[in-house]
Amino acid sequence: MGQLATLIPERPLSAQDPTGPKGKVTVDDVAQFLGKFSNGAVACFEATRFAIGRKNHNCIEVNGDRGSVYWDFEEQNYLYFYDKTRPVAEQGFVKINVTHDSHPYGGGPWPKDTASAMPTHS
């Protein structure tokens, strides 16, 4: 099941002139859908332009009976991990720097051979 919605039918044609001429919106403001995987797991997906305060909050969260893991594009160097098997006094999300050199996948989310080809700024 899914839905798309355009909540604001027209917007200013220029960000520099918010009170100026307006044009028809041809892009949805909200997209939502529910999913079910072949193994029986269920999912909920949402994308919106109206998450006030969010700059690029594309995130993934996976929850299970023994813990959870969460990743957010706004903090792409970090993974948040919750381990329910830990003693109750030690339970809570742990922020892991997954791009630190000591991490087994250190070097960031980008393949190492492409990182050297990226332009540098002086």
Side-chain angles (χ1 to χ4, degrees):
M1 175 171 50
Q3 69 177 355
L4 301 171
T6 302
L7 305 175
I8 298 178
E10 53 181 33
R11 289 194 172 86
L13 294 174
S14 170
Q16 285 72 40
D17 186 11
T19 61
K22 297 188 183 323
K24 182 179 178 184
V25 172
T26 59
V27 176
D28 295 310
D29 295 312
V30 177
Q32 301 169 321
F33 70 92
L34 302 175
K36 185 172 183 179
F37 295 94
S38 61
N39 67 357
V42 294
C44 172
F45 298 87
E46 175 187 20
T48 181
R49 299 173 63 155
F50 290 110
I52 301 300
R54 298 294 188 182
K55 301 302 180 200
N56 201 2
H57 185 66
N58 298 306
C59 62
I60 298 169
E61 184 168 348
V62 178
N63 304 289
D65 61 341
R66 290 178 282 159
S68 298
V69 65
Y70 170 82
W71 178 84
D72 178 0
F73 192 81
E74 290 180 349
E75 291 191 275
Q76 58 188 288
N77 293 338
Y78 298 97
L79 189 66
Y80 292 84
F81 176 67
Y82 185 99
D83 184 355
K84 190 179 175 199
T85 67
R86 304 289 303 159
V88 173
E90 297 175 13
Q91 288 181 12
F93 277 94
V94 175
K95 185 176 182 178
I96 303 167
N97 182 341
V98 294
T99 57
H100 191 277
D101 292 342
S102 64
H103 192 276
Y105 302 106
W110 319 117
K112 292 181 191 240
D113 59 342
T114 60
S116 61
M118 296 179 82
T120 57
H121 301 283
S122 47

